[in-house]
Short mmCIF file of all heavy atoms in Angstrom, two decimals:
data_model
loop_
_atom_site.label_atom_id
_atom_site.label_comp_id
_atom_site.label_asym_id
_atom_site.label_seq_id
_atom_site.Cartn_x
_atom_site.Cartn_y
_atom_site.Cartn_z
N TYR A 205 92.89 108.68 116.64
CA TYR A 205 91.72 109.06 117.43
C TYR A 205 91.53 110.55 117.42
O TYR A 205 90.45 111.06 117.24
CB TYR A 205 91.87 108.57 118.85
CG TYR A 205 90.72 108.92 119.75
CD1 TYR A 205 89.62 108.15 119.81
CD2 TYR A 205 90.74 110.08 120.53
CE1 TYR A 205 88.49 108.45 120.62
CE2 TYR A 205 89.68 110.43 121.32
CZ TYR A 205 88.52 109.62 121.37
OH TYR A 205 87.45 109.98 122.12
N THR A 217 94.26 121.81 113.37
CA THR A 217 95.17 121.10 112.46
C THR A 217 96.61 121.16 112.83
O THR A 217 97.39 120.20 112.66
CB THR A 217 95.01 121.62 111.00
OG1 THR A 217 95.31 123.02 110.97
CG2 THR A 217 93.59 121.44 110.51
N ILE A 226 108.33 112.78 116.16
CA ILE A 226 108.97 111.48 116.64
C ILE A 226 109.44 111.64 118.06
O ILE A 226 109.65 110.67 118.76
CB ILE A 226 110.11 111.08 115.69
CG1 ILE A 226 111.13 112.18 115.54
CG2 ILE A 226 109.62 110.61 114.36
CD1 ILE A 226 112.37 111.81 114.74
N GLY A 256 105.84 113.20 99.72
CA GLY A 256 105.35 112.42 100.80
C GLY A 256 104.47 111.30 100.29
O GLY A 256 104.60 110.82 99.18
N VAL A 259 97.53 107.96 101.96
CA VAL A 259 96.77 106.75 101.93
C VAL A 259 95.43 107.01 102.68
O VAL A 259 95.43 107.68 103.66
CB VAL A 259 97.48 105.59 102.60
CG1 VAL A 259 98.60 105.08 101.73
CG2 VAL A 259 98.02 105.98 103.97
N GLY A 260 94.33 106.44 102.15
CA GLY A 260 93.06 106.51 102.85
C GLY A 260 92.23 107.76 102.55
O GLY A 260 91.42 108.21 103.36
N ALA A 272 90.32 123.38 108.14
CA ALA A 272 90.49 122.01 108.61
C ALA A 272 90.83 121.11 107.46
O ALA A 272 90.68 121.43 106.31
CB ALA A 272 89.14 121.55 109.22
N GLU A 278 94.53 106.98 106.49
CA GLU A 278 94.29 105.73 107.13
C GLU A 278 95.25 105.54 108.31
O GLU A 278 96.44 105.63 108.17
CB GLU A 278 94.53 104.58 106.09
CG GLU A 278 94.13 103.20 106.71
CD GLU A 278 94.03 102.18 105.64
OE1 GLU A 278 94.46 102.40 104.46
OE2 GLU A 278 93.47 101.07 105.90
N PRO A 286 99.78 106.22 110.88
CA PRO A 286 99.38 105.81 109.56
C PRO A 286 99.74 104.35 109.22
O PRO A 286 100.77 103.89 109.69
CB PRO A 286 100.10 106.83 108.63
CG PRO A 286 100.31 108.03 109.50
CD PRO A 286 100.58 107.49 110.90
N GLY A 327 120.17 87.76 86.46
CA GLY A 327 121.36 88.05 85.74
C GLY A 327 121.22 88.09 84.22
O GLY A 327 122.19 87.80 83.52
N GLU A 338 99.42 83.65 83.40
CA GLU A 338 98.16 83.36 84.15
C GLU A 338 98.46 82.45 85.35
O GLU A 338 97.93 82.59 86.44
CB GLU A 338 97.12 82.79 83.23
CG GLU A 338 95.78 82.52 83.91
CD GLU A 338 94.72 81.99 82.98
OE1 GLU A 338 95.01 81.85 81.76
OE2 GLU A 338 93.61 81.71 83.43
N LYS A 339 99.29 81.44 85.11
CA LYS A 339 99.60 80.49 86.13
C LYS A 339 100.39 81.16 87.31
O LYS A 339 100.09 80.93 88.46
CB LYS A 339 100.49 79.39 85.53
CG LYS A 339 101.05 78.39 86.57
CD LYS A 339 101.99 77.35 85.85
CE LYS A 339 102.66 76.44 86.85
NZ LYS A 339 103.55 75.48 86.14
N ASP A 354 94.14 71.33 82.67
CA ASP A 354 93.97 72.80 82.71
C ASP A 354 92.96 73.23 83.76
O ASP A 354 92.18 74.22 83.55
CB ASP A 354 93.61 73.38 81.36
CG ASP A 354 94.72 73.16 80.35
OD1 ASP A 354 95.89 73.15 80.77
OD2 ASP A 354 94.41 73.05 79.13
N ASN A 418 111.07 111.05 104.19
CA ASN A 418 112.06 110.44 105.18
C ASN A 418 111.37 109.65 106.29
O ASN A 418 111.92 109.57 107.39
CB ASN A 418 112.94 111.55 105.75
CG ASN A 418 113.75 112.25 104.72
OD1 ASN A 418 114.32 111.64 103.79
ND2 ASN A 418 113.85 113.58 104.79
N ASN A 432 104.51 73.51 91.07
CA ASN A 432 103.54 72.92 90.17
C ASN A 432 102.91 71.78 90.99
O ASN A 432 103.56 70.80 91.34
CB ASN A 432 104.20 72.33 88.94
CG ASN A 432 103.22 71.73 87.99
OD1 ASN A 432 102.31 70.98 88.39
ND2 ASN A 432 103.36 71.94 86.69
N ILE A 453 107.05 97.82 93.66
CA ILE A 453 106.65 98.90 94.54
C ILE A 453 107.52 100.17 94.26
O ILE A 453 107.02 101.29 94.28
CB ILE A 453 106.81 98.50 96.01
CG1 ILE A 453 105.77 97.42 96.35
CG2 ILE A 453 106.67 99.67 96.99
CD1 ILE A 453 105.95 96.77 97.70
#
Side-chain angles (χ1 to χ4, degrees):
Y205 179 85
T217 59
I226 55 177
V259 286
E278 187 166 14
E338 183 177 357
K339 175 182 174 182
D354 294 331
N418 298 319
N432 179 319
I453 292 171

